[in-house]
Amino acid sequence: MPEETILETRDLVKEFAGFVAVNGVSLRVARGSIHAVIGPNGAGKTTVFNLLTRFLPATRGAILFKGDDVTHARPADVARRGIVRSFQMSAVFPALTALENVRVALQRPLGTSFHFWRSERTLDALDARAVELLAAVGLERDRDTVAVELPYGRKRALELATTLALDPELLLLDEPTQGMGHEDVGRVVALIRRVAEGRTVLLVEHNLSVVQDLARRVTVLARGAVLAEGSYAEVSRDPSVLEAYLGATP
């Protein structure tokens, strides 16, 4: 049976004062898959993510999520529909504990994220789910650790837990292993594989060994356009991909 497409872009274009950052990108992401977007620096990868989450408006083209056109939806509406992203840099509250960070994220769907004046006891009902999410990313022993004291790799795991608190159908991960040592990279790869069960992951990643380990399908961008697409084995043998990365044909 043909795979169901959860996300599709059609001829997506983003221009900045005449500079074309994203140039006619058409992308199809299969439900339940891990799909990677790769490319050299300046290829337009993060800009594509910003368009998908409506942080930036598209100049032209269309974005469809589960068949619905979300090209002009508000960013909050896109998130409520189930598209949630992480960022290149860790984005957690440094002065809060790991448990408190996840609990704040759990408040967002309830519309109470900024009710700081309420008694902490009113949030106790969220603790059980927060602990589950921390356990899912291997941070159950760090629940009472202040985020600023966590090593970098564990901060990224905490960010992933806060992202999962929004219960995404489509999880966008922007450079999840950036700045990590080899040991942390291995942990995060295992973590992504675990949290991908039952959801779809679209991944921007510079570490090609991570892409090879995780991605079922790979889209290669260069100068804002799709250069190649296929399995990792297919795109890694493509002469145009080798030229884009190495600057010369093999």
Side-chain angles (χ1 to χ4, degrees), residues 68-199:
D68 296 329
D69 191 329
V70 296
T71 312
H72 304 292
R74 296 182 303 170
D77 291 335
V78 168
R80 275 191 285 268
R81 286 172 178 263
I83 302 177
V84 179
R85 71 174 290 183
S86 71
F87 293 85
Q88 288 185 8
M89 300 302 293
S90 180
V92 297
F93 294 106
L96 298 183
T97 67
L99 180 69
E100 289 167 341
N101 266 281
V102 178
R103 203 164 57 180
V104 168
L106 287 168
Q107 287 179 261
R108 293 177 196 168
L110 304 177
T112 61
S113 298
F114 299 101
H115 291 187
F116 296 118
W117 60 86
R118 292 193 174 184
S119 167
E120 188 172 351
R121 286 177 296 179
T122 65
L123 305 179
D124 288 347
L126 301 177
D127 281 358
R129 179 58 179 153
V131 169
E132 286 178 6
L133 289 167
L134 288 173
V137 299
L139 293 179
E140 59 268 39
R141 294 183 180 179
D142 296 298
R143 56 174 287 171
D144 297 320
T145 303
V146 177
V148 73
E149 297 175 359
L150 291 170
Y152 182 70
R154 289 185 176 270
K155 284 180 184 174
R156 297 309 302 262
L158 177 57
E159 180 189 285
L160 188 52
T162 63
T163 303
L164 294 176
L166 302 180
D167 197 23
E169 281 191 72
L170 174 60
L171 181 58
L172 308 184
L173 299 179
D174 193 359
E175 301 280 12
T177 69
Q178 184 178 35
M180 290 186 181
H182 179 73
E183 186 174 329
D184 279 337
V185 168
R187 288 197 190 101
V188 170
V189 167
L191 178 57
I192 293 171
R193 187 176 288 114
R194 191 186 330 153
V195 302
E197 295 176 6
R199 57 175 53 90

